Amino acid sequence: MAKLDELKRRLTPGKVYRRADLTKWSAAVDRDLRALVDAGELTKVSAGVYLRPKQTAFGKAPADEKDLVEAFLKDKRFLLTTPNAYNALGVGTTQLYNHTVVYNRKRHGQFKLGNRLYDFRKKAEFPETLSKEFLLVDLVNNVKRLAEGESVVLKQVKTKAKALDSSALKRAVDDYGGVRAKRFFSEVLEEQAQLHA
């Protein structure tokens, strides 16, 4: 029991741990994990990923999203976004979605971590942070996944694209655009180039 208490003392409330992280403090890590989960000291959020819950005035706080995804991927290189971010662009998207998209270089598929659904999409390239240009390109890449009418949204995307910095948009298209997005934005960028010529 003393060894279990020692392990418990090393766990920081609110922090996410992988099973492998705990092997340095426990000779019987699976038994200790089971005991800590049963006692409510740890919460299993995914296979091999655990959260030491942080107690707040409103109950147990969920894990920080970035920490959770980092522990799951065993990698710091990823970008968190959601289709809800498109709504801020003003292109006619208004639907609310209940999942987070994770662009990364390791995993692909939908996974439930804790109580939240994550859509992991394996991509060779993605930015470190979200920009309007990236979101516009990403929207065109994923327009078929949206609930709104495709033709109406794309018409408004074209208008929005003309209001953005054309060189930043061209970089985003070149770096992150799929075949459809590259074809769609080539017309818009060509029109802008002719206007400025």
Side-chain angles (χ1 to χ4, degrees), residues 34-47:
R34 203 168 24 258
L36 290 170
V37 168
D38 289 347
E41 298 291 338
L42 278 179
T43 303
K44 186 174 183 174
V45 291
S46 176

Side-chain angles (χ1 to χ4, degrees), residues 88-186:
L89 293 170
V91 292
T93 57
T94 56
Q95 194 74 26
L96 294 177
Y97 298 85
N98 65 352
H99 68 278
T100 299
V101 175
V102 184
Y103 290 121
N104 71 97
R105 293 183 174 97
K106 291 183 145 192
R107 305 289 296 261
H108 193 79
Q110 293 191 342
F111 298 90
K112 194 168 184 186
L113 304 180
N115 295 325
R116 189 149 172 78
L117 184 64
Y118 291 85
D119 185 359
F120 286 81
R121 298 183 191 166
K122 194 173 176 183
K123 291 230 179 231
E125 295 297 327
F126 48 86
E128 288 183 27
T129 58
L130 295 174
S131 68
K132 285 180 184 174
E133 292 80 12
F134 170 76
L135 282 172
L136 210 59
V137 172
D138 195 54
L139 187 154
V140 175
N141 284 339
N142 296 296
V143 72
K144 291 199 179 295
R145 297 177 191 232
L146 302 179
E148 290 84 4
E150 186 178 331
S151 59
V152 175
V153 170
L154 290 177
K155 186 176 178 184
Q156 292 190 50
V157 166
K158 196 175 272 196
T159 304
K160 179 70 175 184
K162 291 174 183 174
L164 295 178
D165 178 298
S166 59
S167 59
L169 180 59
K170 184 176 180 346
R171 271 194 310 277
V173 170
D174 290 345
D175 292 346
Y176 315 117
V179 173
R180 179 194 177 108
K182 286 183 176 172
R183 190 170 52 242
F184 176 84
F185 285 109
S186 70

Side-chain angles (χ1 to χ4, degrees), residues 16-18 49 66-75:
V16 178
Y17 296 92
R18 290 198 62 80
V49 181
K66 285 186 177 180
D67 293 342
L68 186 60
V69 171
E70 184 180 322
F72 180 74
L73 286 174
K74 295 189 244 178
D75 193 355

Side-chain angles (χ1 to χ4, degrees), residues 5-69:
D5 289 337
E6 174 63 26
L7 175 59
K8 194 166 74 173
R9 274 195 295 278
R10 291 183 179 275
L11 303 175
T12 307
K15 189 164 186 298
V16 178
Y17 296 92
R18 290 198 62 80
R19 179 193 174 280
D21 298 334
L22 306 177
T23 56
K24 59 188 168 200
W25 300 318
S26 172
V29 72
D30 292 319
R31 183 195 64 210
D32 289 344
L33 282 170
R34 203 168 24 258
L36 290 170
V37 168
D38 289 347
E41 298 291 338
L42 278 179
T43 303
K44 186 174 183 174
V45 291
S46 176
V49 181
Y50 298 84
L51 166 69
R52 173 73 193 268
K54 185 175 187 174
Q55 200 62 40
T56 69
F58 304 103
K60 292 179 180 178
D64 177 76
E65 199 167 44
K66 285 186 177 180
D67 293 342
L68 186 60
V69 171

